[in-house]
Amino acid sequence: MKSIITLPAGRGALAFDGEPSDAELDAIELEMPLILAEVELLDAEIMTLDRPATELDERRTRRARRRVLVERRDLTNRVGVTLTGGAA
């Protein structure tokens, strides 16, 4: 059996410090509304796992699904504007 050995970083290679880069943090911040909408949808679905869904539960789940779709659309539009520089 071969063992896996960690090799030291060579010249020119950046050492990984375990923290996200500024670009990664910016990407997370850009996606945060979608992440929160997906969490809301997950919460609505979890509430109906152990009991029959009521009309209120169904409305809550539909509303959460619509919010996820809206946030996906908005994120796609924001990323598209960022990539194209605002030109349509």
Side-chain angles (χ1 to χ4, degrees):
M1 176 182 243
K2 293 182 181 182
S3 63
I4 299 174
I5 302 170
T6 305
L7 299 175
R11 279 191 313 196
L14 297 175
F16 178 67
D17 64 356
E19 298 293 324
S21 68
D22 289 340
E24 291 169 331
L25 289 173
D26 290 342
I28 292 169
E29 186 177 337
L30 184 67
E31 294 175 11
M32 190 54 69
L34 176 59
I35 294 168
L36 294 174
E38 289 174 341
V39 168
E40 183 180 327
L41 174 59
L42 186 60
D43 286 343
E45 291 172 343
I46 287 172
M47 284 193 283
T48 61
L49 287 179
D50 61 346
R51 61 183 168 83
T54 64
E55 186 177 336
L56 180 63
D57 293 330
E58 291 173 5
R59 276 190 268 167
R60 183 179 294 123
T61 302
R62 268 196 316 270
R63 190 176 335 122
R65 282 189 184 128
R66 282 194 304 265
R67 182 169 175 227
V68 167
L69 291 174
V70 166
E71 293 300 337
R72 283 183 185 167
R73 180 197 64 204
D74 292 347
L75 177 63
T76 301
N77 290 339
R78 282 191 302 265
V79 170
V81 168
T82 304
L83 293 177
T84 60

